Amino acid sequence: MKKSKLIVEHLYEFELLGFVAPVKDYKIAWIVNTCLDLKLAKIEDYELEFINGSKLCVSQYKFEKENGFIQLLKNKSFIHDTNSLYLIPELKIFDYFLLVQDFTSEVDINDYIDRLSSNALIQNVVKLDIDKIKSKENLLTY
């Protein structure tokens, strides 16, 4: 019997910001809402189970737009396991990720970086290249 392989290619149609902000998730959501004039709201926590049995659970906030969305994800899992799990393990330095999907080009990502950088509680904001992230599949929360 001939075996067939199913190859799935995901589309990453969003821009990604990573930032260092050692504050609670509700506080960073409030900061992002204030700086960017958004209305991020807490939604169900994002859970991911791995083949080895470990489980990742991160908080997420989302703002639905007419032609896209803006989503705030915490990088570090809040389930206390024997070892800390990260949404993007190769980018442990970042506390949060902001996914910006906008099909209208109404969002200026550089303006978002400038506005977030002006807040004293956010130490660093960086635009990340999604194609260079090894575990980018973890960002697909749908």
Side-chain angles (χ1 to χ4, degrees):
M1 187 169 146
K2 186 178 178 182
K3 292 184 181 182
S4 298
K5 244 186 197 182
L6 176 65
I7 298 172
V8 178
E9 290 188 29
H10 299 287
L11 295 175
Y12 301 94
E13 297 177 323
F14 54 84
E15 296 190 71
L16 182 65
L17 295 179
F19 44 93
V20 179
V23 295
K24 298 281 186 188
D25 56 343
Y26 61 87
K27 179 83 170 178
I28 199 67
W30 179 80
I31 291 168
V32 170
N33 282 340
T34 305
C35 289
L36 305 180
D37 299 323
L38 298 176
K39 292 184 178 156
L40 288 170
K42 177 106 170 108
I43 59 174
E44 188 177 329
D45 293 331
Y46 178 50
E47 294 185 17
L48 209 75
E49 287 190 42
F50 297 100
I51 295 172
N52 65 4
S54 59
K55 191 174 181 181
L56 173 79
C57 191
V58 296
S59 60
Q60 63 176 338
Y61 293 77
K62 197 168 191 176
F63 173 60
E64 293 283 343
K65 300 177 65 168
E66 189 174 324
N67 294 306
F69 65 88
I70 296 175
Q71 183 177 22
L72 177 69
L73 292 166
K74 187 171 184 173
N75 193 20
K76 189 173 182 180
S77 177
F78 59 77
I79 292 181
H80 299 291
D81 218 343
T82 52
N83 51 354
S84 296
L85 290 176
Y86 290 87
L87 183 64
I88 306 294
E90 61 269 24
L91 297 174
K92 291 179 184 176
I93 191 169
F94 294 108
D95 296 311
Y96 297 94
F97 297 106
L98 191 69
L99 285 73
V100 180
Q101 181 184 64
D102 181 48
F103 295 116
T104 62
S105 301
E106 137 189 331
V107 172
D108 180 8
I109 202 75
N110 292 321
D111 180 49
Y112 274 20
I113 292 170
D114 291 341
R115 288 161 67 184
L116 288 169
S117 297
S118 68
N119 190 289
L121 293 174
I122 298 177
Q123 296 173 0
N124 194 8
V125 181
V126 178
K127 182 178 178 193
L128 300 167
D129 186 357
I130 298 166
D131 296 327
K132 294 182 180 177
I133 298 174
K134 189 169 75 172
S135 53
K136 59 187 168 199
E137 293 84 18
N138 294 354
L139 294 170
L140 299 175
T141 59
Y142 48 83

